[in-house]
Amino acid sequence: MPQKTDSRFVIGILLLAFTISINAQKKTDELRNLIQYVDPMIGTAKMGHTYPGATVPFGSVQLSPETDTIAYSLNGKYNGEVYKYCAGYQHEDKTIVGFSHTHFSGTGHSDLGDFLIMPTTGKLQLNPGTASKPLSGYRSSFSHSSEKAEPAYYSVLLEDHNIKAELTATTRVGMHQYTFPKSDDAHIILDLTSGIYNYDKKNVWTFVRVENDTLITGYRQTNGWARTRTVYFAMSFSKPIKSYGQAAQEKSVYRGFWGRFDQTKNFPEMAGQNLKLFFDFDTKEGEKIKIR
């Protein structure tokens, strides 16, 4: 015979579940209210060594802007200015070089800055240029008035390219959204040479494979904070790539069979110590390209 269920027991479970749900919603609302009091810009000036970008507690991804690429050495000697960029960002700077995926915060130690991405329009440039002449490279001027930084979210207008950049992150994934103007020459730059506290031969090896017209994979191996540190990635575009390529590299003694091909344009495997890649698109006014 079927067992009879005590209706009081069922009602008790439902009431308990309802109470837990209400309490969870209250805690969520309380956390949302507290967000307004968090200022990720604190410590981004002088020697604070913090970054304003998007991350979550205990996240392995810290998606944040780099405001300059200072050389480790100057005239053959250590350049003290490089130490200001332990976290990649200085509030006094007026340009952004790009957005990379790994950062230290408040450590007083310099490293990381892996997988720098920069959206651009117009003439393709694969060098970052200089702060005094931003148009000489892919970097862009910006204003703090267009910046917004809050927990797990960052946005800014890249003025020289008229592109709005928005960043957010989960525990293991950094997500970009770039709103482009109408352009027949829209680019996404992926600079695997760039990094924080860069010095000669810090990059041990970098590799990228174009899997299809929206997915690329690869890794970067560096010698720095850890003697051998290898970070792998998979990068997915929301829009099919029109064409792609890399900056020409120095010729090596042994090139292998791949040396027969032009590897600067639409060659699906790219490897070397210093890779600078580009991915081309046609964009409509206000079109959004998402990367994760």
Side-chain angles (χ1 to χ4, degrees):
M1 294 179 65
Q3 297 276 336
K4 289 186 177 180
T5 303
D6 190 333
S7 61
R8 291 172 297 178
F9 179 69
V10 174
I11 292 171
I13 291 177
L14 291 175
L15 287 175
L16 178 61
F18 181 73
T19 302
I20 291 173
S21 176
I22 291 294
N23 289 336
Q25 185 61 49
K26 285 182 179 179
K27 289 182 178 180
T28 300
D29 291 341
E30 288 172 0
L31 287 173
R32 286 175 178 168
N33 290 334
L34 291 174
I35 284 175
Q36 63 182 308
Y37 301 109
V38 179
D39 184 3
M41 287 294 177
I42 292 173
T44 59
K46 298 182 180 179
M47 293 299 177
H49 294 169
T50 66
Y51 59 86
T55 190
V56 298
F58 307 107
S60 60
V61 178
Q62 307 83 33
L63 192 48
S64 188
E66 317 288 19
T67 57
D68 213 341
T69 51
I70 302 297
Y72 174 83
S73 61
L74 185 63
N75 298 323
K77 297 182 179 180
Y78 171 72
N79 178 14
E81 285 291 299
V82 74
Y83 185 64
K84 290 170 36 178
Y85 291 88
C86 289
Y89 185 98
Q90 275 294 323
H91 197 267
E92 65 184 12
D93 290 344
K94 301 184 184 304
T95 66
I96 285 176
V97 177
F99 307 95
S100 65
H101 290 72
T102 56
H103 293 84
F104 286 137
S105 180
T107 59
H109 181 69
S110 301
D111 202 359
L112 310 185
D114 298 291
F115 311 133
L116 182 133
I117 289 178
M118 184 64 173
T120 67
T121 56
K123 178 185 176 182
L124 176 66
Q125 299 189 84
L126 292 177
N127 67 88
T130 62
S132 59
K133 295 181 179 179
L135 296 180
S136 65
Y138 59 66
R139 76 172 68 207
S140 174
S141 302
F142 80 103
S143 170
H144 292 303
S145 63
S146 72
E147 258 187 320
K148 182 177 181 180
E150 61 184 37
Y153 178 81
Y154 174 89
S155 68
V156 68
L157 177 66
L158 302 171
E159 296 175 352
D160 294 333
H161 304 294
N162 192 27
I163 296 171
K164 182 179 180 180
E166 296 176 274
L167 314 174
T168 189
T170 66
T171 304
R172 296 185 180 276
V173 180
M175 289 173 278
H176 311 239
Q177 178 170 274
Y178 299 116
T179 304
F180 280 82
K182 185 180 186 307
S183 177
D184 296 328
D185 295 301
H187 319 283
I188 299 289
I189 308 297
L190 173 59
D191 193 334
L192 298 181
T193 300
S194 179
I196 296 173
Y197 219 56
N198 257 359
Y199 43 81
D200 290 342
K201 299 182 180 179
K202 181 176 180 179
N203 271 6
V204 178
W205 197 248
T206 51
F207 172 81
V208 170
R209 176 185 288 121
V210 179
E211 305 286 355
N212 54 50
D213 62 359
T214 59
L215 176 66
I216 66 172
T217 59
Y219 66 85
R220 163 175 148 120
Q221 186 180 71
T222 57
N223 174 19
W225 175 54
R227 183 174 62 180
T228 302
R229 187 178 67 92
T230 305
V231 185
Y232 297 87
F233 75 89
M235 187 176 297
S236 176
F237 297 91
S238 63
K239 181 181 176 73
I241 301 164
K242 181 175 69 171
S243 60
Y244 60 90
Q246 64 172 310
Q249 299 189 55
E250 294 182 6
K251 291 184 178 180
S252 61
V253 174
Y254 182 75
R255 295 188 298 163
F257 77 93
W258 56 84
R260 301 178 182 180
F261 302 95
D262 178 7
Q263 298 173 61
T264 62
K265 193 77 171 179
N266 296 325
F267 193 78
E269 286 196 351
M270 296 164 273
Q273 283 187 312
N274 299 295
L275 289 182
K276 295 184 178 183
L277 314 181
F278 63 90
F279 302 91
D280 294 337
F281 304 87
D282 293 330
T283 56
K284 301 175 183 177
E285 183 66 37
E287 184 171 4
K288 294 175 170 58
I289 295 181
K290 300 177 182 179
I291 306 172
R292 63 175 182 174

